[in-house]
């Protein structure tokens, strides 16, 4: 059994033609639509995969189809097998 301590993980998604289409629209409206699309998509993945209230999404990343989330090691394993997820990586702090 993994740790129950929550840590920051980055989740990157598989190729999504809708993401690519929205990302190609360089207008202010297009940027807003992309932000809303990704936030909704990432929120739905978490809501459908993990127990409500057991995680905290901190940001959706627009430059790549991904997001940061505070989760446990066990939750990271669950997300790794979720449909549409390409990579789940624990944040690595660099020494000062």
């Amino acid at each position: 059994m993994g740790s129950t301590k929550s840590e920051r993980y980055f989740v990157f998604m598989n190729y999504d033609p809708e993401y690519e289409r929205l990302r190609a629209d360089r207008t202010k409206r297009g940027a807003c639509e992309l932000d809303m699309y990704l936030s909704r998509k990432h929120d739905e993945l978490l809501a459908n995969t993990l127990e409500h209230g057991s995680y905290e999404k901190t940001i959706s990343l627009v430059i790549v189809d991904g997001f940061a989330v505070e989760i446990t090691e066990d939750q990271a394993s669950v997300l790794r097998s979720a449909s549409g997820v390409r990579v789940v990586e624990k944040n690595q702090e660099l020494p000062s």
Side-chain angles (χ1 to χ4, degrees):
M1 184 146 173
S3 170
T4 58
K5 178 184 171 200
S6 287
E7 297 183 80
R8 178 168 290 166
Y9 284 80
F10 290 96
V11 179
F12 300 98
M13 307 301 290
N14 285 331
Y15 174 78
D16 176 356
E18 182 65 7
Y19 164 75
E20 295 298 335
R21 184 189 72 75
L22 290 168
R23 194 170 148 220
D25 182 350
R26 301 289 187 183
T27 65
K28 188 170 186 163
R29 181 172 179 249
C32 184
E33 287 180 6
L34 178 59
D35 284 345
M36 289 187 314
Y37 172 76
L38 286 181
S39 185
R40 183 174 53 249
K41 174 182 168 179
H42 300 155
D43 289 347
E44 287 174 2
L45 170 71
L46 289 166
N48 292 331
T49 308
L50 303 177
E51 184 180 331
H52 178 73
S54 70
Y55 59 88
E56 181 183 351
K57 184 182 87 171
T58 55
I59 191 169
S60 283
L61 306 168
V62 176
I63 192 81
V64 294
D65 184 358
F67 59 95
V69 63
E70 300 284 335
I71 54 175
T72 66
E73 185 179 315
D74 287 345
Q75 289 173 309
S77 293
V78 170
L79 278 177
R80 283 185 183 99
S81 63
S83 176
V85 173
R86 183 171 41 100
V87 175
V88 177
E89 286 294 327
K90 189 162 116 180
N91 184 43
Q92 301 294 317
E93 298 289 331
L94 298 175
S96 311

